[in-house]
Amino acid sequence: MIISLQHRSIMFPAASLLTTLLLALSIAASPVEIRNSPITLPIARRLNTSGGSINILQHDQSRAAALKNVGENTLNRRTGSIAVTNDAVGYIAAVGVGSPATTYNLIVDTGSSNTWVGAGTAYVKTSTSVDTGEPVEVTYGSGSFSGTEYTDTVTLGSGLTITAQSIGVAATSTGFTGVDGIIGIGPLDLTEGTLTDEPDYDDPDCIISEIVVGISFEPTTTETDTNGELTFGGTDATKYTGDIAYTPLTTTYPASYYWGINESITYGTTTILSETAGIVDTGTTLILIATNAFSKYESATGATLDRTTGLLRITTTQYDALEDLNFNVGSNTYALTANAQIWPRALNTYLGGSADYIYLVVNSIGTPSGEGLDFINGYTFLERFYSVFDTTNSQVGFATTAYTDATTN
Protein backbone atom coordinates (compact mmCIF):
# COMPACT_ATOMS: atom_id res chain seq x y z
CA MET A 1 0.00 0.00 0.00
CA ILE A 2 1.49 3.36 -1.05
CA ILE A 3 0.15 6.64 0.30
CA SER A 4 1.36 10.13 -0.57
CA LEU A 5 -1.03 12.68 0.89
CA GLN A 6 1.13 15.56 -0.29
CA HIS A 7 0.53 14.69 -3.93
CA ARG A 8 -2.80 13.02 -3.22
CA SER A 9 -1.67 9.93 -5.10
CA ILE A 10 -2.84 6.65 -3.60
CA MET A 11 -2.31 2.98 -4.44
CA PHE A 12 -4.50 0.21 -3.04
CA PRO A 13 -5.37 -3.35 -3.95
CA ALA A 14 -8.11 -3.74 -6.57
CA ALA A 15 -11.52 -2.66 -5.25
CA SER A 16 -14.48 -0.54 -6.30
CA LEU A 17 -13.54 3.06 -7.11
CA LEU A 18 -15.74 4.43 -4.34
CA THR A 19 -14.24 2.08 -1.72
CA THR A 20 -10.67 2.91 -2.73
CA LEU A 21 -11.33 6.62 -2.93
CA LEU A 22 -12.96 6.88 0.45
CA LEU A 23 -10.34 4.68 2.08
CA ALA A 24 -7.72 7.10 0.80
CA LEU A 25 -9.58 10.08 2.23
CA SER A 26 -10.18 8.42 5.60
CA ILE A 27 -6.58 7.55 6.44
CA ALA A 28 -6.33 10.60 8.69
CA ALA A 29 -10.05 11.12 9.22
CA SER A 30 -11.56 11.69 12.63
CA PRO A 31 -14.84 9.95 13.52
CA VAL A 32 -16.85 13.17 13.13
CA GLU A 33 -18.60 14.79 10.21
CA ILE A 34 -16.10 16.28 7.80
CA ARG A 35 -17.37 19.57 6.43
CA ASN A 36 -15.89 21.10 3.29
CA SER A 37 -14.06 18.01 2.06
CA PRO A 38 -11.35 19.02 -0.43
CA ILE A 39 -12.36 16.37 -2.97
CA THR A 40 -15.26 17.49 -5.13
CA LEU A 41 -16.35 16.58 -8.63
CA PRO A 42 -18.77 18.64 -10.73
CA ILE A 43 -21.85 16.89 -12.20
CA ALA A 44 -23.58 18.00 -15.40
CA ARG A 45 -27.17 17.14 -16.26
CA ARG A 46 -27.70 16.10 -19.86
CA LEU A 47 -30.95 15.27 -21.65
CA ASN A 48 -30.46 12.44 -24.12
CA THR A 49 -32.53 13.53 -27.12
CA SER A 50 -30.56 11.68 -29.78
CA GLY A 51 -33.65 9.67 -30.68
CA GLY A 52 -36.06 12.59 -30.60
CA SER A 53 -38.24 13.34 -27.57
CA ILE A 54 -37.53 11.30 -24.44
CA ASN A 55 -39.90 9.15 -22.42
CA ILE A 56 -38.73 9.75 -18.86
CA LEU A 57 -41.57 7.78 -17.27
CA GLN A 58 -40.84 4.68 -19.34
CA HIS A 59 -37.15 4.77 -18.44
CA ASP A 60 -37.81 5.41 -14.75
CA GLN A 61 -40.38 2.63 -14.44
CA SER A 62 -38.06 0.20 -16.24
CA ARG A 63 -35.30 1.11 -13.83
CA ALA A 64 -37.62 0.62 -10.86
CA ALA A 65 -38.55 -2.86 -12.08
CA ALA A 66 -34.88 -3.76 -12.51
CA LEU A 67 -34.04 -2.44 -9.05
CA LYS A 68 -36.65 -4.73 -7.55
CA ASN A 69 -35.48 -7.70 -9.60
CA VAL A 70 -31.91 -7.50 -8.35
CA GLY A 71 -33.14 -8.02 -4.82
CA GLU A 72 -35.04 -11.09 -5.93
CA ASN A 73 -31.97 -12.49 -7.68
CA THR A 74 -29.42 -12.03 -4.91
CA LEU A 75 -28.85 -15.76 -4.63
CA ASN A 76 -27.80 -15.84 -8.27
CA ARG A 77 -25.55 -12.79 -8.50
CA ARG A 78 -23.30 -14.43 -11.09
CA THR A 79 -25.81 -13.29 -13.68
CA GLY A 80 -24.58 -9.75 -12.97
CA SER A 81 -28.12 -8.42 -13.14
CA ILE A 82 -28.29 -4.99 -11.46
CA ALA A 83 -30.21 -1.76 -11.87
CA VAL A 84 -30.86 -0.25 -15.27
CA THR A 85 -29.27 3.13 -15.82
CA ASN A 86 -31.61 5.94 -16.81
CA ASP A 87 -30.37 6.89 -20.28
CA ALA A 88 -33.10 9.46 -20.86
CA VAL A 89 -31.62 11.96 -18.42
CA GLY A 90 -27.99 11.49 -17.41
CA TYR A 91 -26.01 13.09 -14.60
CA ILE A 92 -22.48 13.14 -15.88
CA ALA A 93 -19.08 13.44 -14.19
CA ALA A 94 -15.82 13.92 -16.10
CA VAL A 95 -13.28 11.35 -14.89
CA GLY A 96 -9.69 11.03 -16.07
CA VAL A 97 -8.19 7.58 -16.72
CA GLY A 98 -4.56 6.85 -17.64
CA SER A 99 -1.40 8.97 -17.71
CA PRO A 100 -1.66 11.24 -19.57
CA ALA A 101 -5.35 11.05 -18.73
CA THR A 102 -8.18 10.61 -21.20
CA THR A 103 -11.38 12.22 -19.96
CA TYR A 104 -14.49 10.02 -19.91
CA ASN A 105 -18.02 11.30 -19.29
CA LEU A 106 -19.52 8.83 -16.83
CA ILE A 107 -23.08 8.54 -15.51
CA VAL A 108 -23.25 9.03 -11.74
CA ASP A 109 -25.31 6.14 -10.40
CA THR A 110 -26.21 5.41 -6.76
CA GLY A 111 -27.97 2.24 -7.91
CA SER A 112 -24.82 0.38 -9.00
CA SER A 113 -21.21 0.06 -7.85
CA ASN A 114 -19.21 -0.83 -10.95
CA THR A 115 -17.11 1.86 -12.60
CA TRP A 116 -16.32 1.30 -16.27
CA VAL A 117 -15.45 3.12 -19.49
CA GLY A 118 -15.51 2.54 -23.23
CA ALA A 119 -19.18 2.86 -24.26
CA GLY A 120 -18.54 6.02 -26.27
CA THR A 121 -14.93 7.14 -26.14
CA ALA A 122 -12.70 4.11 -26.57
CA TYR A 123 -10.38 3.19 -23.72
CA VAL A 124 -6.90 4.63 -24.36
CA LYS A 125 -4.07 2.50 -23.02
CA THR A 126 -1.07 4.31 -21.53
CA SER A 127 1.97 3.25 -19.53
CA THR A 128 -0.23 2.94 -16.42
CA SER A 129 -2.71 0.50 -18.00
CA VAL A 130 -2.54 -3.08 -16.70
CA ASP A 131 -4.75 -5.80 -18.17
CA THR A 132 -5.72 -8.21 -15.38
CA GLY A 133 -7.17 -10.68 -17.85
CA GLU A 134 -10.32 -10.97 -15.74
CA PRO A 135 -13.62 -10.77 -17.65
CA VAL A 136 -16.31 -8.43 -16.34
CA GLU A 137 -19.95 -8.31 -17.39
CA VAL A 138 -22.95 -6.35 -16.12
CA THR A 139 -26.54 -6.34 -17.37
CA TYR A 140 -28.60 -3.23 -16.57
CA GLY A 141 -32.00 -4.30 -17.87
CA SER A 142 -32.15 -2.04 -20.95
CA GLY A 143 -28.39 -1.91 -21.31
CA SER A 144 -25.24 -3.90 -20.68
CA PHE A 145 -21.51 -4.01 -21.04
CA SER A 146 -18.91 -6.75 -21.14
CA GLY A 147 -15.17 -6.56 -21.31
CA THR A 148 -12.05 -6.87 -19.21
CA GLU A 149 -10.93 -5.60 -15.82
CA TYR A 150 -7.93 -3.29 -15.95
CA THR A 151 -6.06 -1.38 -13.29
CA ASP A 152 -5.12 2.17 -14.17
CA THR A 153 -4.60 5.67 -12.81
CA VAL A 154 -7.89 7.48 -12.14
CA THR A 155 -8.10 11.26 -11.66
CA LEU A 156 -11.11 12.92 -10.03
CA GLY A 157 -11.23 16.67 -10.50
CA SER A 158 -8.07 18.47 -9.40
CA GLY A 159 -8.10 16.97 -5.93
CA LEU A 160 -7.17 13.30 -6.14
CA THR A 161 -5.29 10.80 -8.27
CA ILE A 162 -5.65 7.09 -7.56
CA THR A 163 -3.12 4.68 -9.02
CA ALA A 164 -3.62 0.98 -9.76
CA GLN A 165 -7.40 1.38 -9.54
CA SER A 166 -9.65 -1.41 -10.80
CA ILE A 167 -11.96 -0.37 -13.66
CA GLY A 168 -13.99 -2.17 -16.29
CA VAL A 169 -13.12 -1.63 -19.94
CA ALA A 170 -16.00 -2.36 -22.30
CA ALA A 171 -15.40 -4.46 -25.40
CA THR A 172 -19.11 -4.22 -26.18
CA SER A 173 -21.95 -2.20 -24.67
CA THR A 174 -25.62 -1.57 -25.42
CA GLY A 175 -28.09 1.03 -24.19
CA PHE A 176 -25.61 3.87 -23.61
CA THR A 177 -25.75 6.83 -25.98
CA GLY A 178 -23.66 9.97 -25.62
CA VAL A 179 -21.82 8.74 -22.53
CA ASP A 180 -18.71 6.66 -21.92
CA GLY A 181 -19.77 4.48 -18.99
CA ILE A 182 -20.69 4.64 -15.32
CA ILE A 183 -19.18 5.76 -12.03
CA GLY A 184 -21.04 3.61 -9.52
CA ILE A 185 -21.50 4.94 -5.99
CA GLY A 186 -24.08 2.42 -4.83
CA PRO A 187 -23.59 -0.08 -1.99
CA LEU A 188 -20.58 -2.34 -2.51
CA ASP A 189 -22.62 -5.56 -2.58
CA LEU A 190 -23.94 -4.58 -6.02
CA THR A 191 -20.55 -5.42 -7.59
CA GLU A 192 -20.78 -9.05 -6.47
CA GLY A 193 -20.94 -11.53 -9.33
CA THR A 194 -19.67 -9.10 -11.98
CA LEU A 195 -16.04 -10.26 -11.77
CA THR A 196 -14.87 -13.85 -12.09
CA ASP A 197 -12.16 -13.36 -9.46
CA GLU A 198 -13.76 -11.21 -6.76
CA PRO A 199 -11.41 -9.11 -4.55
CA ASP A 200 -11.56 -9.70 -0.81
CA TYR A 201 -13.16 -6.62 0.72
CA ASP A 202 -12.80 -8.02 4.25
CA ASP A 203 -9.01 -7.52 4.25
CA PRO A 204 -8.01 -5.79 7.54
CA ASP A 205 -6.00 -3.29 5.48
CA CYS A 206 -9.28 -2.11 3.95
CA ILE A 207 -11.00 -0.89 7.13
CA ILE A 208 -12.53 2.48 6.29
CA SER A 209 -13.15 5.13 8.94
CA GLU A 210 -15.67 7.34 7.17
CA ILE A 211 -17.32 6.34 3.88
CA VAL A 212 -19.40 9.40 3.06
CA VAL A 213 -20.49 10.99 -0.21
CA GLY A 214 -22.34 14.31 -0.31
CA ILE A 215 -24.41 15.16 -3.39
CA SER A 216 -25.65 18.57 -4.45
CA PHE A 217 -28.00 19.22 -7.38
CA GLU A 218 -29.56 22.51 -8.36
CA PRO A 219 -32.77 22.99 -10.38
CA THR A 220 -32.07 23.82 -14.00
CA THR A 221 -34.16 24.78 -17.02
CA THR A 222 -31.56 24.07 -19.70
CA GLU A 223 -30.89 20.91 -21.70
CA THR A 224 -27.28 20.62 -20.50
CA ASP A 225 -26.03 22.26 -17.32
CA THR A 226 -23.24 21.67 -14.80
CA ASN A 227 -25.61 21.93 -11.87
CA GLY A 228 -24.34 19.34 -9.41
CA GLU A 229 -21.43 18.25 -7.28
CA LEU A 230 -20.14 15.05 -5.67
CA THR A 231 -18.15 15.51 -2.48
CA PHE A 232 -16.11 12.53 -1.32
CA GLY A 233 -15.19 11.85 2.30
CA GLY A 234 -17.42 14.55 3.76
CA THR A 235 -19.88 17.30 2.88
CA ASP A 236 -19.77 20.75 1.31
CA ALA A 237 -21.27 23.19 3.80
CA THR A 238 -21.66 25.86 1.09
CA LYS A 239 -24.27 23.70 -0.64
CA TYR A 240 -26.85 23.43 2.15
CA THR A 241 -28.54 25.47 4.85
CA GLY A 242 -29.09 24.53 8.49
CA ASP A 243 -28.10 21.08 9.70
CA ILE A 244 -28.06 17.70 8.01
CA ALA A 245 -30.61 15.31 9.55
CA TYR A 246 -29.85 11.60 9.27
CA THR A 247 -32.09 8.56 9.12
CA PRO A 248 -30.95 4.92 9.37
CA LEU A 249 -30.92 2.70 6.31
CA THR A 250 -33.97 0.49 6.05
CA THR A 251 -33.76 -3.22 6.78
CA THR A 252 -36.74 -3.93 4.52
CA TYR A 253 -36.05 -6.09 1.46
CA PRO A 254 -35.32 -5.26 -1.36
CA ALA A 255 -34.85 -1.53 -0.62
CA SER A 256 -32.12 -2.57 1.82
CA TYR A 257 -29.85 -3.48 -1.12
CA TYR A 258 -29.65 0.18 -2.13
CA TRP A 259 -29.70 3.53 -0.36
CA GLY A 260 -33.01 2.58 1.23
CA ILE A 261 -34.92 4.50 3.90
CA ASN A 262 -38.34 4.49 5.54
CA GLU A 263 -40.71 7.41 4.97
CA SER A 264 -44.34 8.39 4.68
CA ILE A 265 -45.77 10.95 2.25
CA THR A 266 -48.55 13.45 2.80
CA TYR A 267 -50.15 15.86 0.37
CA GLY A 268 -50.99 18.83 2.55
CA THR A 269 -52.44 17.10 5.61
CA THR A 270 -53.70 14.04 3.71
CA THR A 271 -51.64 10.86 3.98
CA ILE A 272 -51.17 9.31 0.56
CA LEU A 273 -48.47 6.77 1.51
CA SER A 274 -48.13 5.34 5.02
CA GLU A 275 -44.63 4.74 6.32
CA THR A 276 -42.89 2.19 4.14
CA ALA A 277 -39.52 1.40 2.57
CA GLY A 278 -38.09 2.90 -0.62
CA ILE A 279 -34.85 4.31 -1.96
CA VAL A 280 -33.01 7.52 -2.73
CA ASP A 281 -31.63 7.34 -6.26
CA THR A 282 -29.73 9.72 -8.54
CA GLY A 283 -30.43 7.48 -11.53
CA THR A 284 -34.20 8.03 -11.41
CA THR A 285 -35.45 11.37 -12.72
CA LEU A 286 -39.00 11.47 -11.38
CA ILE A 287 -40.44 10.81 -7.94
CA LEU A 288 -42.10 7.41 -8.16
CA ILE A 289 -44.63 6.20 -5.59
CA ALA A 290 -46.76 3.07 -5.18
CA THR A 291 -49.80 2.86 -7.44
CA ASN A 292 -52.29 3.32 -4.58
CA ALA A 293 -50.44 6.44 -3.39
CA PHE A 294 -50.27 7.74 -6.95
CA SER A 295 -54.04 7.38 -7.34
CA LYS A 296 -54.57 9.43 -4.17
CA TYR A 297 -52.14 12.11 -5.37
CA GLU A 298 -53.82 12.26 -8.78
CA SER A 299 -57.22 12.69 -7.15
CA ALA A 300 -56.02 15.26 -4.61
CA THR A 301 -54.37 17.48 -7.23
CA GLY A 302 -57.17 17.12 -9.79
CA ALA A 303 -54.57 16.24 -12.43
CA THR A 304 -55.33 14.36 -15.62
CA LEU A 305 -53.11 11.82 -17.37
CA ASP A 306 -51.34 13.17 -20.44
CA ARG A 307 -51.27 10.31 -22.97
CA THR A 308 -48.34 11.72 -24.92
CA THR A 309 -45.85 11.93 -22.04
CA GLY A 310 -47.42 9.56 -19.53
CA LEU A 311 -47.16 12.33 -16.92
CA LEU A 312 -49.90 14.03 -14.95
CA ARG A 313 -50.97 17.39 -16.28
CA ILE A 314 -52.58 20.27 -14.40
CA THR A 315 -54.07 23.64 -15.29
CA THR A 316 -52.74 26.99 -14.13
CA THR A 317 -55.61 27.20 -11.63
CA GLN A 318 -54.75 23.77 -10.26
CA TYR A 319 -51.09 24.74 -10.02
CA ASP A 320 -52.02 27.79 -7.96
CA ALA A 321 -53.96 25.50 -5.60
CA LEU A 322 -51.23 22.85 -5.20
CA GLU A 323 -50.37 22.03 -1.60
CA ASP A 324 -46.95 20.94 -0.35
CA LEU A 325 -45.97 17.33 -0.91
CA ASN A 326 -44.36 16.28 2.36
CA PHE A 327 -41.80 13.50 2.73
CA ASN A 328 -41.78 12.51 6.39
CA VAL A 329 -38.50 10.85 7.35
CA GLY A 330 -38.10 10.09 11.03
CA SER A 331 -38.95 13.27 12.91
CA ASN A 332 -38.20 15.50 9.93
CA THR A 333 -40.38 16.67 7.05
CA TYR A 334 -39.07 17.64 3.63
CA ALA A 335 -41.67 19.63 1.70
CA LEU A 336 -41.81 19.95 -2.05
CA THR A 337 -43.52 23.21 -2.90
CA ALA A 338 -45.88 23.56 -5.84
CA ASN A 339 -42.99 24.67 -8.06
CA ALA A 340 -40.89 21.70 -6.99
CA GLN A 341 -43.66 19.28 -8.03
CA ILE A 342 -43.62 20.32 -11.70
CA TRP A 343 -41.30 19.58 -14.61
CA PRO A 344 -39.36 22.67 -15.85
CA ARG A 345 -41.76 24.23 -18.32
CA ALA A 346 -38.89 25.40 -20.53
CA LEU A 347 -38.06 21.72 -21.15
CA ASN A 348 -41.57 20.47 -21.94
CA THR A 349 -40.84 19.94 -25.61
CA TYR A 350 -37.97 17.56 -24.80
CA LEU A 351 -40.62 15.25 -23.35
CA GLY A 352 -42.68 15.47 -26.51
CA GLY A 353 -45.13 17.62 -24.58
CA SER A 354 -46.66 21.02 -25.17
CA ALA A 355 -44.81 24.17 -24.14
CA ASP A 356 -48.07 25.52 -22.68
CA TYR A 357 -48.79 22.60 -20.34
CA ILE A 358 -47.80 22.04 -16.72
CA TYR A 359 -46.58 18.51 -15.99
CA LEU A 360 -46.10 16.96 -12.56
CA VAL A 361 -42.92 15.03 -11.66
CA VAL A 362 -44.70 12.57 -9.35
CA ASN A 363 -45.77 9.33 -10.96
CA SER A 364 -46.45 5.64 -10.35
CA ILE A 365 -43.72 3.14 -9.59
CA GLY A 366 -45.93 0.55 -11.28
CA THR A 367 -46.74 -1.66 -8.28
CA PRO A 368 -48.83 -1.27 -5.08
CA SER A 369 -47.35 -0.58 -1.66
CA GLY A 370 -46.19 -3.44 0.50
CA GLU A 371 -43.53 -4.84 -1.84
CA GLY A 372 -40.49 -3.55 0.04
CA LEU A 373 -39.59 -0.82 -2.45
CA ASP A 374 -42.61 1.46 -2.59
CA PHE A 375 -41.10 4.80 -3.56
CA ILE A 376 -38.05 6.29 -5.27
CA ASN A 377 -36.93 9.78 -4.33
CA GLY A 378 -35.28 10.64 -7.64
CA TYR A 379 -33.43 13.62 -9.04
CA THR A 380 -36.43 15.92 -8.87
CA PHE A 381 -36.43 15.40 -5.10
CA LEU A 382 -32.66 15.64 -4.74
CA GLU A 383 -32.41 18.94 -6.61
CA ARG A 384 -34.33 20.53 -3.74
CA PHE A 385 -32.40 18.93 -0.85
CA TYR A 386 -28.73 18.21 -0.18
CA SER A 387 -28.17 14.49 0.32
CA VAL A 388 -25.49 12.52 2.16
CA PHE A 389 -24.85 8.80 1.64
CA ASP A 390 -23.04 7.49 4.71
CA THR A 391 -21.95 3.85 4.55
CA THR A 392 -19.91 3.97 7.75
CA ASN A 393 -22.90 4.80 9.92
CA SER A 394 -25.52 3.11 7.69
CA GLN A 395 -27.56 6.24 7.17
CA VAL A 396 -28.75 8.80 4.65
CA GLY A 397 -28.89 12.51 5.43
CA PHE A 398 -30.85 15.45 4.01
CA ALA A 399 -30.63 19.20 4.44
CA THR A 400 -32.43 22.18 2.95
CA THR A 401 -30.68 24.33 0.35
CA ALA A 402 -31.05 27.73 -1.25
CA TYR A 403 -33.17 25.96 -3.89
CA THR A 404 -35.63 24.16 -1.62
CA ASP A 405 -38.27 26.85 -2.14
CA ALA A 406 -37.04 28.19 -5.49
CA THR A 407 -39.52 29.01 -8.28
CA THR A 408 -37.16 27.87 -11.04
CA ASN A 409 -39.70 25.69 -12.83
Side-chain angles (χ1 to χ4, degrees), residues 123-360:
Y123 178 60
V124 178
K125 297 179 183 179
T126 67
S127 61
T128 57
S129 303
V130 177
D131 185 348
T132 71
E134 289 291 334
V136 57
E137 182 176 359
V138 182
T139 299
Y140 294 91
S142 66
S144 65
F145 92 94
S146 62
T148 305
E149 181 199 16
Y150 276 70
T151 62
D152 208 337
T153 297
V154 175
T155 303
L156 297 168
S158 59
L160 184 68
T161 298
I162 306 170
T163 57
Q165 170 58 44
S166 172
I167 61 169
V169 174
T172 61
S173 65
T174 60
F176 296 90
T177 303
V179 297
D180 300 318
I182 288 177
I183 177 171
I185 57 174
L188 180 61
D189 286 350
L190 293 174
T191 62
E192 292 180 8
T194 60
L195 285 171
T196 301
D197 184 14
E198 300 284 0
D200 181 7
Y201 296 110
D202 295 325
D203 189 322
D205 289 336
C206 290
I207 297 174
I208 300 172
S209 298
E210 294 292 324
I211 310 179
V212 177
V213 178
I215 300 183
S216 167
F217 289 117
E218 299 172 2
T220 181
T221 58
T222 60
E223 181 180 356
T224 301
D225 187 15
T226 302
N227 65 321
E229 176 190 90
L230 291 178
T231 301
F232 298 102
T235 60
D236 184 346
T238 68
K239 298 295 185 180
Y240 60 90
T241 57
D243 297 323
I244 299 171
Y246 290 92
T247 188
L249 296 180
T250 187
T251 58
T252 300
Y253 165 99
S256 55
Y257 285 102
Y258 307 96
W259 292 109
I261 62 173
N262 296 324
E263 74 179 18
S264 65
I265 302 176
T266 57
Y267 176 76
T269 59
T270 302
T271 298
I272 63 171
L273 184 65
S274 299
E275 185 170 89
T276 186
I279 66 172
V280 185
D281 184 37
T282 62
T284 301
T285 301
L286 303 172
I287 297 164
L288 299 183
I289 57 179
T291 53
N292 47 299
F294 175 69
S295 295
K296 292 179 180 178
Y297 178 74
E298 180 180 8
S299 176
T301 59
T304 56
L305 182 66
D306 182 81
R307 299 295 178 183
T308 302
T309 63
L311 303 182
L312 292 179
R313 191 176 81 223
I314 57 174
T315 65
T316 301
T317 300
Q318 289 169 330
Y319 170 74
D320 291 338
L322 277 183
E323 299 185 57
D324 286 352
L325 186 65
N326 303 300
F327 297 76
N328 308 299
V329 183
S331 60
N332 298 283
T333 296
Y334 304 94
L336 288 186
T337 63
N339 191 262
Q341 293 174 57
I342 68 171
W343 178 256
R345 281 167 277 192
L347 300 177
N348 280 356
T349 56
Y350 291 101
L351 304 175
S354 168
D356 298 327
Y357 288 165
I358 303 175
Y359 299 102
L360 296 172

Side-chain angles (χ1 to χ4, degrees), residues 390-409:
D390 182 350
T391 295
T392 301
N393 300 298
S394 299
Q395 60 186 5
V396 172
F398 300 116
T400 56
T401 75
Y403 301 95
T404 297
D405 299 324
T407 55
T408 305
N409 297 335

